[in-house]
Each structure stands twice: as structure tokens, then as C-alpha cells.
Amino acid sequence: MRDPRPHVGEPLAVDLLNTRWMSADGPRDLLIDLDGLRCWLTVNDLSDSVPDERTRHALLSTRDAIRRAVCEDAFEELNRILDHGRIRRVLTAAGPAEHPDVPRSEWLAAWLAADNLLRLLAERPGRIKQCAHPQCVLFFYDTSKNGTRRWHSMAACGNRAKAARHYARKS
Ligand SMILES: [Zn+2]
């Protein structure tokens, strides 16, 4: 299955949020079935995760927890998900290394997404944003210098908003 989503390539936590999007026919959800789950795991190099219902449910609750942490400053669910794993730090011949340790395999992909959210927030606080277009539900990680990015894509949503303002002025 080809990834049907309009916006890909964001960091893992944001990419999980972007499994929901608005199409011309209404809201869509890549994680609605196991085909979509398989597709999402493949594009994110998470082939260690088994594409089954348990993994899918772990990801659905994590997607909700990430959205609530970003949009509502509600962290309880996210912290519960983070309890499913930890980072094990070891010294190897190649130097210090970090390994995710998630005993219940159905939580591996979900835990990695939750862990990624923490990294993004540590790196650039306040830079996970929802697209400013009122009909768009996509998120993006704003890596611009001034942090003034407003659209998931200037071509798709920025110009759409500009055109709407233009026609509003004319009428
Ligand atoms: Zn958008």
C-alpha cells in the first residue's frame, strides 16, 4: 500500500498525529485498519513492531495522548504510555549507546513516538504546531529560524487561505 497521506516526513511523534487528515471526501484515518498500520510502520522504519490489533490500539491511544499533550497541556495519558518503556544506556566498543527497552512489544512503536515527543519538546519547545488553516487538521514541527511558520504547506494551505481572503475582499 502506498502512503495515501498528503503530508509526510515529520518526526515520528508528529507523523503519528498526521495519520489523521482531511480529504475532499471528509476526515481520513490511516490507522483505521491493519493495512494502514502496516504502511505507517514501514514508512517509519518500525519493522520490529508486529502489525496487529494490539499494536494498532497502542498507537491510537498514544496518538490521542500526544495530541492532548500538545494541544491541551494534559500530560497524564502520555506519562502512562511512557511508563511502558525506558532508555537503557550502555557502553559498547563503539562508545556510549542508548537502547529502548519496551518489554511488551505491542507498545514499542507507540513508546518510541511518545519518547520522540519528549525529544522534540526538549530540542525546540513550542514548535509543534497545528496548521493554521481552519479546515486542515495536520501538524508540523516548525524548524524555521524565527518559529513563525503557520502552514503545514505553503502551497496547499497558505495559498488556499490567501485566495480565500482575496475573494472575501472582492465580494
Ligand atoms: Zn494545512
Side-chain angles (χ1 to χ4, degrees):
M1 170 178 180
R2 210 185 115 264
D3 195 337
R5 297 177 296 157
H7 183 57
V8 294
E10 294 287 346
L12 188 61
V14 180
D15 192 68
L16 179 56
L17 291 175
N18 287 343
T19 51
R20 294 175 65 234
W21 74 98
M22 199 59 86
S23 78
D25 310 321
R28 299 273 311 271
D29 185 347
L30 184 66
L31 298 181
I32 197 128
D33 58 25
L34 295 184
D35 274 348
L37 170 65
R38 226 171 270 128
C39 172
W40 188 80
L41 292 172
T42 305
V43 298
N44 285 293
D45 285 323
L46 295 169
S47 49
D48 286 347
S49 289
V50 183
D52 62 9
E53 280 300 328
R54 292 186 312 161
T55 298
R56 194 174 76 84
H57 281 109
L59 282 166
L60 289 178
S61 52
T62 304
R63 180 174 69 184
D64 199 47
I66 290 175
R67 192 190 53 74
R68 296 196 59 197
V70 170
C71 300
E72 299 166 24
D73 285 341
F75 310 127
E76 207 177 304
E77 281 172 69
L78 188 86
N79 285 332
R80 248 201 312 275
I81 286 155
L82 287 164
D83 270 342
H84 285 286
R86 61 179 181 140
I87 292 284
R88 203 162 56 86
R89 309 195 69 205
V90 291
L91 185 59
T92 70
E98 296 185 348
H99 298 300
D101 179 11
V102 182
R104 287 168 61 192
S105 62
E106 72 268 32
W107 281 99
L108 179 61
W111 186 86
L112 288 170
D115 177 66
N116 179 246
L117 177 70
L118 263 51
R119 285 170 197 253
L120 298 180
L121 293 174
E123 216 173 84
R124 287 189 172 90
R127 291 296 190 96
I128 298 173
K129 302 176 181 174
Q130 190 160 26
C131 180
H133 195 283
Q135 266 101 55
C136 183
V137 298
L138 293 167
F139 287 80
F140 60 91
Y141 186 49
D142 184 355
T143 54
S144 71
K145 200 162 162 237
N146 302 321
T148 52
R149 187 173 152 197
R150 297 183 60 207
W151 320 102
H152 87 269
S153 144
M154 189 62 210
C157 284
N159 289 338
R160 208 147 56 112
K162 248 196 260 168
R165 273 200 304 276
H166 179 75
Y167 288 118
R169 264 201 308 274
K170 276 188 151 177
S171 58

